[in-house]
Amino acid sequence: DDEFFKLCSYLELTGLYETLNSDGTYTLFAPNDAAFEQLTILPGLSDEEIRGVLMYHVAPNVLTYKDLMSIAPGDIETMVPGIPIGVSTGFDDEVLLNGNTKITSDIQASNGIIQVIDQVLIPPIDTPT
């Protein structure tokens, strides 16, 4: 899909495309190309850092929109150990990730589900002091 060209390119670059097509069930929170265009930090990151950002967009189980509504308020596990995504609801009962990223659809995949999101999620990583 042309709407996800940048996401697919990054998944290929980092080797996550093969992971997501292997055995297992996943939810991919998929930012569209417009979401990537809003983000200025990715071009300065290494492939391994980009992989970490993308892994933060993957939950190791299937989560439908309805599932996410029932989790809110709460957290969901990601493929980045110990760094969950916060799930809440907005004013119109829409599901929000980390307080402001909106989900727009359930897309069935062969081994899970794709949730389209309007922003790239950046994992909260503490910097050394």
Side-chain angles (χ1 to χ4, degrees):
D1 191 332
D2 288 343
E3 185 179 3
F4 301 101
F5 179 78
K6 290 183 183 198
L7 174 63
C8 291
S9 296
Y10 284 127
L11 290 172
E12 286 279 346
L13 175 77
T14 60
L16 280 174
Y17 183 82
E18 290 81 23
T19 301
L20 294 174
N21 282 302
S22 65
D23 290 341
T25 56
Y26 305 98
T27 297
L28 173 63
F29 297 100
N32 58 24
D33 282 356
F36 278 104
E37 288 166 10
Q38 295 172 24
L39 194 65
T40 57
I41 67 162
L42 279 185
L45 298 179
S46 70
D47 290 356
E48 197 57 37
E49 290 168 324
I50 292 170
R51 181 179 172 84
V53 169
L54 294 178
M55 287 175 62
Y56 187 61
H57 289 75
V58 181
N61 49 5
V62 175
L63 296 166
T64 65
Y65 192 90
K66 186 176 178 179
D67 294 334
L68 294 167
M69 285 291 289
S70 68
I71 292 168
D75 291 330
I76 52 173
E77 177 185 359
T78 70
M79 288 182 67
V80 180
I83 305 181
I85 296 172
V87 181
S88 59
T89 53
F91 294 113
D92 298 327
D93 283 334
E94 72 242 351
V95 173
L96 301 175
L97 301 180
N98 290 344
N100 61 1
T101 302
K102 295 180 183 177
I103 295 176
T104 58
S105 58
D106 283 349
I107 301 171
Q108 296 297 319
S110 61
N111 62 345
I113 198 161
I114 298 168
Q115 300 289 359
V116 179
I117 57 176
D118 66 349
Q119 295 181 42
V120 176
L121 301 169
I122 303 298
I125 298 173
D126 293 330
T127 55
T129 55

